[in-house]
Amino acid sequence: MSNDNNNKDKKNPFHVQRMHLTEAEAPYGYCLLSRDKKTWGEEGTGSEAVNPDAECEIQCPHYNDQDFNSYEDIIHLNIASFRDRLCPRTLHNLFHKAANPKRIYVRIIQQVELDSNEVDDGDCWENYCKNYNSNCEEDYRSQIRIWTMNAKIAKGPTDPRSRLSAALTYDYEHPHDPLLHPVQIHDYCMQTDSHMDFNQDFDVGLIDMFHRTQNDYAVLSTYVAPMEQTDTDPANVPHLCMVSFTSTWRNWGTKSCDNLLRPKMTNIPWGAGLSFEKCHADLNVPYDPYLPGIFDGEELSRGFRFFTHGYDTYTPDKVLVTHDYHGHQSNPHVHTWGRHSDGNDNNVGDDMSAFMGDIEEVKVSVSPKGVQRLNVMMGIENNLDKHGIITNSRFGLGKQRTIEQATEFSGFNPSKRKMVKNKCGNLNWVPFEEANDTTYGADITLARPLW
């Protein structure tokens, strides 16, 4: 290493005041911290080589579920789509690129204008069959369930995602009469957007990658790389570790990691465009259905909830799923949710009362909702009565780790409403005691009140 005495942080032998490291300097890969020395100081800028021993320095994560078959194990995929002509192509890419597409079960909520003839309001399945697979009914119809919602009454991304989450829970609780297919604790659950591509054999790759974390409570998640990187196996992967404050916390300033040999534990941030985990994670941390119109805060609040339930977010070590940013952003309808409802749209779309009935009944009396609900839960707004109600609900915080541990681990300070420490580098796993049951605590969580 050139100029070794000046470049290396004496307190941290893995930290270097440069953006790029060689393989000799970082044999397990490295992650960018920041270029902003004014904000983060010497210790928070430059890059940090991955320390393979850091995660287990205090204690290693729980890893008992080591019996897996990356070709046969079931994957459940949730996709929320808003007036998206690319949804049929996503289905094609999904089934065409999977090593074993017959084990993937797809739940989709498509939000379309019901009286429209525009291509963006076409049916995802019908256009997949028409444009990509004339044998679709025989090939995959039993593996997909689509519900249609009226886009004129759309309430943002959290609403359809919370409905898909409720459908997943229903199929766990009703294995003999599922909406699509029974959900088992040890199945894998996945979430993406409706304008995606996938590397060849991505399904096998994701399961193998999950087990490289050696953590039963791992959640693979990041902001997804652009579609141009599909099947190119880039050494560089997006890394979520920074947040900012608007009306609430939101992910900000995506960093990157290079040449990773295994997924990199992050400091809580989670991305909605790609999430891959065991299904007990989705049952323990279901989407909150009381966040209408939320965009900022959706992701970080779920990351906090995952952490307090004992889950750890990891940046993938490879790019296996990609996003069509250009195609999505050029869609003229992409940002129009919430703008067209006149209050008289009585046709809401398909009946979802089987899995949403109880939630809709409770929703009327739930308060607060939206941003205030997020801020009370995460301790940004001081309301002890409401905080207790929200955090102890099915959609609240876990008992495995405290909110204080979450803020310390993440580097976020709720009272100052900013990050106070750069946590993009090596992290020690935060120990917790596992739930004493065979469902990883999922049945305990699902017994909580719905508010």
Side-chain angles (χ1 to χ4, degrees), residues 12 20 41 57 116 132 174 190 219 270 281 287 333 339 358 402 404 407 409 425:
N12 181 358
H20 302 286
E57 187 171 303
S116 169
Y132 296 100
H174 300 82
M190 182 177 179
V219 178
W270 171 86
Y287 249 87
H333 305 301
R339 297 182 185 178
D358 291 344
T402 66
E404 290 78 19
T407 55
F409 181 74

Side-chain angles (χ1 to χ4, degrees), residues 66 74 118 261 326 370 392 445:
Q66 301 180 33
I74 289 174
E118 291 194 43
L261 298 187
H326 174 73
N392 289 307
T445 299

Side-chain angles (χ1 to χ4, degrees), residues 40 136 149 369 401:
W40 304 113
C136 60
M149 290 183 65
K369 297 183 179 75
R401 294 168 175 147

Side-chain angles (χ1 to χ4, degrees), residues 70-203:
S70 56
Y71 185 80
E72 296 288 346
D73 290 347
I74 289 174
I75 298 173
H76 301 270
L77 172 60
N78 283 354
I79 298 175
S81 173
F82 180 82
R83 306 191 70 188
D84 192 354
R85 71 183 67 188
L86 302 178
C87 184
R89 188 187 68 184
T90 297
L91 286 183
H92 168 69
N93 293 340
L94 172 79
F95 291 131
H96 182 68
K97 298 286 189 70
N100 181 9
K102 301 302 291 183
R103 51 81 173 269
I104 302 176
Y105 294 88
V106 187
R107 295 165 180 82
I108 297 176
I109 287 185
Q110 57 181 3
Q111 298 169 105
V112 297
E113 293 204 357
L114 303 177
D115 54 353
S116 169
N117 292 320
E118 291 194 43
V119 63
D120 292 306
D121 295 310
D123 183 87
C124 185
W125 174 254
E126 290 179 2
N127 284 335
Y128 163 69
C129 296
K130 176 183 176 182
N131 297 325
Y132 296 100
N133 185 358
S134 60
N135 203 41
C136 60
E137 291 289 333
E138 180 179 342
D139 287 347
Y140 302 120
R141 191 66 186 91
S142 64
Q143 295 170 235
I144 190 165
R145 180 71 186 264
I146 299 181
W147 294 271
T148 300
M149 290 183 65
N150 189 344
K152 291 183 178 180
I153 56 173
K155 299 179 178 65
T158 58
D159 182 45
R161 287 171 178 160
S162 72
R163 293 170 183 270
L164 289 166
S165 182
L168 197 77
T169 298
Y170 182 95
D171 282 356
Y172 169 71
E173 295 182 319
H174 300 82
H176 302 297
D177 185 27
L179 301 164
L180 176 61
H181 189 275
V183 174
Q184 304 291 331
I185 286 291
H186 298 286
D187 291 348
Y188 296 89
C189 281
M190 182 177 179
Q191 175 177 300
T192 68
D193 292 332
S194 55
H195 28 268
M196 313 299 284
D197 201 355
F198 307 85
N199 277 23
Q200 189 65 46
D201 301 340
F202 72 93
D203 49 334

Side-chain angles (χ1 to χ4, degrees), residues 24 66 128 147 154 230 382 414 418-419 422:
Q66 301 180 33
Y128 163 69
W147 294 271
T230 305
N382 186 16
K418 67 176 184 178
M419 287 195 74
N422 188 321

Side-chain angles (χ1 to χ4, degrees), residues 9 15 17 32-37 40-47 242 422 424:
D9 187 326
H15 178 214
Q17 287 293 327
L32 173 67
L33 301 182
S34 175
R35 294 180 172 89
D36 184 2
K37 190 176 294 186
W40 304 113
E42 293 280 344
E43 68 175 10
T45 53
S47 295
M242 289 284 187
N422 188 321
C424 295

